[in-house]
Amino acid sequence: QVQLVESGGGLVQAGGSLRLSCVASGSIFSRNVMGWYRQAPGNQREVVATISRGGSTEYADSAKGRFTISRDNAKNTVYLQMSSLKPEDTAVYYCYLGMIGMDYWGKGTLVTVSS
């Protein structure tokens, strides 16, 4: 059983920063991709950033230059450092783990950016 637990969400003013963390536990295969998705009210879930076990990263256009994804393989943990936050970044942020054709999701952490 794989579990993903996010932390680090909260309320921040526009222009501020937040760091999200996600710890994966259970049977984690070495070949995997971790990442962050988000879903704002009334919108579909969208990718924010992903990172392979080897450190290759991909970002949504909205995240480029402002967000940085990283991971600690020894701790099965992925991070999302968010800077220059905007009100439109307000959403529930979900941790993602993909391996052996399966997708796993955390329960999400709410990020609210006030103007």
Side-chain angles (χ1 to χ4, degrees), residues 2 13 21 36 44 49 56 66 68 74 76 85 88 91 105 112 114:
V2 174
Q13 288 189 332
S21 300
W36 292 93
Q44 291 187 334
S56 297
R66 300 189 300 126
T68 302
N76 286 325
L85 283 162
E88 51 263 44
W105 299 93
T112 303
S114 63

Side-chain angles (χ1 to χ4, degrees), residues 35-50:
W36 292 93
Y37 285 66
R38 68 185 183 185
Q39 186 168 16
N43 290 358
Q44 291 187 334
R45 191 173 297 188
E46 61 180 11
V47 62
V48 177
T50 61

Side-chain angles (χ1 to χ4, degrees), residues 19-52:
R19 188 193 195 206
L20 306 182
S21 300
C22 171
V23 180
S25 61
S27 299
I28 310 297
F29 287 82
S30 59
R31 189 169 184 176
N32 63 69
V33 173
M34 298 189 76
W36 292 93
Y37 285 66
R38 68 185 183 185
Q39 186 168 16
N43 290 358
Q44 291 187 334
R45 191 173 297 188
E46 61 180 11
V47 62
V48 177
T50 61
I51 184 168
S52 69

Side-chain angles (χ1 to χ4, degrees), residues 1 5-7 26 31-33 41 56-58 75 82 84 87 89 92 94 98 100 105 107 111 114:
Q1 183 105 10
V5 179
E6 304 103 333
S7 61
R31 189 169 184 176
N32 63 69
V33 173
S56 297
T57 59
E58 293 189 6
K75 297 180 180 180
M82 303 186 292
S84 301
D89 294 317
V92 177
Y94 295 92
I100 53 171
W105 299 93
K107 293 183 178 181
V111 172
S114 63

Side-chain angles (χ1 to χ4, degrees), residues 57-112:
T57 59
E58 293 189 6
Y59 293 91
D61 287 343
S62 59
K64 290 178 181 176
R66 300 189 300 126
F67 296 179
T68 302
I69 190 170
S70 60
R71 63 186 290 170
D72 184 333
N73 292 330
K75 297 180 180 180
N76 286 325
T77 300
V78 63
Y79 305 96
L80 186 68
Q81 178 67 49
M82 303 186 292
S83 303
S84 301
L85 283 162
K86 306 174 182 179
E88 51 263 44
D89 294 317
T90 295
V92 177
Y93 284 70
Y94 295 92
C95 180
Y96 165 82
L97 170 66
M99 60 180 185
I100 53 171
M102 298 289 289
D103 298 327
Y104 299 90
W105 299 93
K107 293 183 178 181
T109 184
L110 177 63
V111 172
T112 303

